[in-house]
Amino acid sequence: MIDSMIVRTPACRCRTHRQRRADTQGLGRSRGGLSSKIHLAADALGNLVRMTFTGRQRNDITKAHDLIEGFDPDAVIADNGYDADHLRDAVEDAGGEPAIPPKSNRKTPKNYDRAFYKDAISSSVS
């Protein structure tokens, strides 16, 4: 399972963070100040297997390949923010099945196992 979340970061008064290197340190500027996006990958038992950071303004899909790289998953479960043909192809090439619902604006919606996705999401929240 892969997903991301946004966290607020404390304000830093040092000049290097505010200028050119903020993005390389996983900081992004928004109206509310500095924040980061944490991208996570977990195994079937919910154990964290990989974590990476970006600035808040980055899309979820930007780190998806990094999260699944080197694993041989049976399935990859993600929300529709990760709906992209290149990610689906990467999961299938690794021998897994993508359980990713299609975005609402997709011209040709892709099929996925709805029951498997629903069970996985409901068991991860519990």
Side-chain angles (χ1 to χ4, degrees):
M1 178 175 266
I2 57 176
D3 205 358
S4 66
M5 68 176 89
I6 296 171
V7 294
R8 294 269 320 217
T9 55
C12 180
R13 302 290 180 227
C14 59
R15 187 174 179 183
T16 58
H17 287 278
R18 291 192 318 245
Q19 289 183 343
R20 65 186 185 278
R21 294 190 343 196
D23 189 51
T24 61
Q25 297 175 3
L27 297 173
R29 182 153 309 275
S30 65
R31 279 190 266 165
L34 292 176
S35 56
S36 294
K37 187 176 279 193
I38 303 173
H39 303 268
L40 306 167
D43 64 8
L45 298 175
N47 299 318
L48 181 66
V49 293
R50 192 163 286 158
M51 177 172 54
T52 184
F53 298 91
T54 60
R56 177 183 179 162
Q57 69 278 11
R58 299 284 181 230
N59 290 335
D60 291 348
I61 196 78
T62 57
K63 291 294 182 178
H65 289 280
D66 295 339
L67 292 174
I68 65 170
E69 184 179 340
F71 295 114
D72 296 327
D74 293 332
V76 172
I77 304 159
D79 60 18
N80 60 359
Y82 293 93
D83 180 32
D85 289 335
H86 57 88
L87 180 60
R88 289 176 181 274
D89 293 340
V91 171
E92 290 170 355
D93 290 345
E97 178 185 344
I100 304 170
K103 289 183 181 178
S104 61
N105 63 351
R106 189 181 258 279
K107 291 182 181 176
T108 56
K110 299 286 186 172
N111 293 329
Y112 70 103
D113 189 347
R114 291 176 189 262
F116 177 70
Y117 178 78
K118 183 178 178 181
D119 288 343
I121 296 300
S122 63
S123 66
S124 69
V125 174
S126 301

